[in-house]
Amino acid sequence: MKAVEVIGGYPLNGEIKIQGSKNGILPVLAACILQKGVCILHNCPDIRDVRETLAILRELGVKCEMIKHTITIDTTGIQAKAIEKEKTEKMRSSLLFLGALLARFGEGFLGKAGGCNIGKRPIDMHMEAFQKMGILIEEQENAIAAKGRLKGADITLRIPSVGATENIMIAAALAEGVTVIYNAAREPEIIELANFLKKMGAEIYGEGSAAIIISGVKKLHGVEYNIMPDRIVAGTYLLGAVATRGKIRLHQVNHEHLGAVKVILKQMGAVIQEMPDGIYVNGEAAWRTVEKVKTEPYPGFPTDLQSVLLSTLTVAKGESCLYENIFENRYRTVAELRKMGADISVEDNILRIRGVDALYGCEVQGQELRGFAALVIAGLAAEGRTRIENKDYVERGYENIVRDLLGLGAKII
Ligand code: EPZ
């Protein structure tokens, strides 16, 4: 497998533009099949998960073309076909095609969705919601068969699930009647999907709050749309500036999406300046710890930056405590960081970190997407050379982490 190599000990220093959002575009790509025509998407990240999703669309007979960061999708020739396991098992977001196929054809056959190994990742809330909307679901060993005519329903989510909220919004857009989602996810990606669907002609209210109302319409039409910047990629590099005591400027960043991250950066001693389209962070004096931080649904601190923050805290001066409240197995990077000299203990979902004077470069294994990025950040802060194996993981969500960090002055290949 490919690897990334880093020579640590150099403060990040430079400025780059942030890519389009992985978790913003994936539901939008699935939602494109709700209309019979052409959608043109701009600022699309050229990442593995997007390429895999385009492969699923082509499997359905949809014409897809990606030129630089623009994707053109023509669904005129779409057929209601099964999407086999080898296509769906690579990522969790393939599950969103179920809502889209049900809305478009009244049926869907989908191989079991995959995704990062950060927990069990059940799909009970997706299934329960579709059943409430009048769908017959047959869960087979490696696939799901669903059939029926979608009707609006009141759905209360046990957890404000991002994916379940998105799947229900996509299905409800063309359902008969009104659907209300209570305890809905409030992430920026939910608002992105609602903006896209509304531009297509959907009737949606309340997105971004805990209650979303979708009044089903008869037909949706093709649109041109700009994908929002990736808040997790931006947060990764901002934390990298703190870990290396550097100074960086990021362009094409939505400040609002980084609220909880900015709180932590300031607690650690970073100085932040916001510009109309970007953000500047000076991490030269950012060596303080954070007594207690919890990952939470938005607007709380995002679970997708938990591992990256963990790396950053391993070289803070003092003790920190990080609670992972979203996924039950998002600790696989701890063992790799310990190989570099980090002092971390795990007790249930609590990570206790005692800052060390230095991490030491060595060979480590990336275990999943965000954990891989966290090891790169640790390598930037470490003394000597760090080799992070299994680069395929990070290519799922970062367009080119080596190019980005070279642009920020890192010594990386
Ligand atoms: C989305 O995953 C993101 N993925 C994840 O990002 C992100 O970590 C997560 O939301 C939380 O913000 C995409 O958008 C493609 P959930 P999703 O449903 O939708 C449990 C990354 O690195 N749950 O909000 O799968 C679930 O197990 C990825 O970019 C059920 O129990 O997350 C988890 O504990 C990783 N039953 C919690 O809810 C269900 O039916 C939140 O999961 C659904 C979820």
Side-chain angles (χ1 to χ4, degrees):
M1 290 264 254
K2 298 175 290 185
V4 167
E5 293 212 9
V6 182
I7 306 282
Y10 298 87
L12 288 183
N13 194 337
E15 55 184 291
I16 58 168
K17 189 165 84 74
I18 293 299
Q19 70 180 61
S21 167
K22 164 176 102 73
N23 293 347
I25 191 171
L26 294 177
V28 163
L29 286 170
C32 283
I33 70 171
L34 294 177
Q35 56 79 42
K36 193 179 179 68
V38 176
C39 287
I40 301 175
L41 308 175
H42 298 289
N43 195 40
C44 304
D46 184 5
I47 55 177
R48 183 186 304 278
D49 277 16
V50 164
R51 294 191 289 273
E52 298 290 358
T53 303
L54 295 182
I56 290 177
L57 285 167
R58 291 186 182 108
E59 183 86 8
L60 292 170
V62 175
K63 279 202 208 108
C64 310
E65 187 181 47
M66 182 164 192
I67 297 176
K68 291 209 170 45
H69 293 103
T70 295
I71 294 176
T72 304
I73 289 177
D74 182 345
T75 67
T76 317
I78 191 171
Q79 302 128 16
K81 276 180 64 185
I83 306 176
E84 299 308 328
K85 185 168 179 299
E86 64 276 356
K87 287 254 182 301
T88 57
E89 64 187 355
K90 294 175 181 148
M91 60 202 160
R92 169 83 175 179
S93 57
S94 56
L95 189 56
L96 299 174
F97 278 95
L98 195 56
L101 289 167
L102 284 168
R104 185 73 194 272
F105 298 109
E107 63 179 357
F109 184 92
L110 214 60
K112 273 261 182 311
C116 285
N117 45 8
I118 52 179
K120 283 192 299 297
R121 311 195 75 179
I123 60 170
D124 55 304
M125 288 189 277
H126 298 247
M127 298 303 114
E128 283 158 23
F130 289 143
Q131 284 162 336
K132 280 198 88 169
M133 296 174 81
I135 299 300
L136 275 178
I137 302 263
E138 188 201 334
E139 280 199 66
Q140 300 161 6
E141 197 194 332
N142 287 319
I144 302 163
K147 198 174 174 64
R149 191 179 170 70
L150 284 161
K151 290 184 190 55
D154 285 359
I155 296 159
T156 301
L157 294 177
R158 168 169 59 83
I159 296 171
S161 157
V162 172
T165 302
E166 291 166 344
N167 228 341
I168 298 164
M169 287 167 71
I170 290 172
L174 290 175
E176 212 174 291
V178 176
T179 298
V180 184
I181 310 170
Y182 296 102
N183 197 27
R186 298 164 52 194
E187 273 68 5
E189 291 75 24
I190 301 297
I191 297 175
E192 181 82 333
L193 176 60
N195 290 341
F196 179 73
L197 289 169
K198 291 198 288 189
K199 199 168 181 184
M200 289 168 83
E203 287 180 26
I204 301 175
Y205 315 90
E207 65 275 12
S209 79
I212 303 177
I213 301 165
I214 306 107
S215 179
V217 295
K218 287 261 179 290
K219 197 164 179 289
L220 296 171
H221 54 78
V223 293
E224 194 153 358
Y225 192 80
N226 257 307
I227 298 297
M228 69 183 186
D230 193 306
R231 61 191 173 104
I232 302 303
V233 171
T236 301
Y237 300 144
L238 294 174
L239 285 163
V242 167
T244 61
R245 315 286 186 259
K247 295 182 281 192
I248 67 168
R249 189 181 299 272
L250 302 180
H251 297 282
Q252 194 175 283
V253 164
N254 183 317
H255 311 128
E256 258 176 63
H257 297 171
L258 291 163
V261 177
K262 289 186 292 187
V263 167
I264 296 297
L265 294 171
K266 287 176 188 164
Q267 277 183 15
M268 295 186 76
V271 175
I272 297 174
Q273 279 165 7
E274 296 182 355
M275 298 87 72
D277 92 316
I279 189 167
Y280 168 76
V281 169
N282 182 333
E284 286 173 324
W287 42 262
R288 287 205 295 265
T289 60
V290 277
E291 200 180 319
K292 178 175 176 183
V293 53
K294 298 182 290 184
T295 64
E296 293 172 310
Y298 194 88
F301 189 85
T303 176
D304 291 349
L305 284 174
Q306 177 254 90
S307 304
V308 175
L309 176 59
L310 179 63
S311 289
T312 307
L313 291 171
T314 63
V315 288
K317 295 197 181 335
E319 282 204 24
S320 305
C321 221
L322 223 175
Y323 291 68
E324 171 54 55
N325 292 322
I326 308 292
F327 289 106
E328 69 277 13
N329 184 20
R330 201 162 207 171
Y331 313 109
R332 300 165 65 96
T333 307
V334 170
E336 302 307 311
L337 289 170
R338 283 177 178 149
K339 288 180 191 168
M340 300 174 73
D343 182 350
I344 307 169
S345 62
V346 183
E347 194 189 329
D348 298 331
N349 68 327
I350 306 170
L351 295 154
R352 292 185 202 288
I353 309 108
R354 276 163 295 282
V356 293
D357 293 340
L359 294 178
Y360 299 98
C362 65
E363 182 166 308
V364 289
Q365 301 293 320
Q367 307 282 341
E368 35 87 17
L369 163 58
R370 305 302 176 183
F372 189 104
L375 291 170
V376 173
I377 298 301
L380 292 171
E383 289 180 4
R385 178 187 292 268
T386 300
R387 181 178 169 81
I388 305 109
E389 297 289 350
N390 311 328
K391 188 180 176 186
D392 284 8
Y393 284 124
V394 80
E395 292 172 337
R396 288 193 53 199
Y398 292 74
E399 194 169 79
N400 189 332
I401 196 165
V402 171
R403 172 203 67 197
D404 288 349
L405 288 170
L406 281 172
L408 295 173
K411 296 197 179 317
I412 184 171
I413 50 170

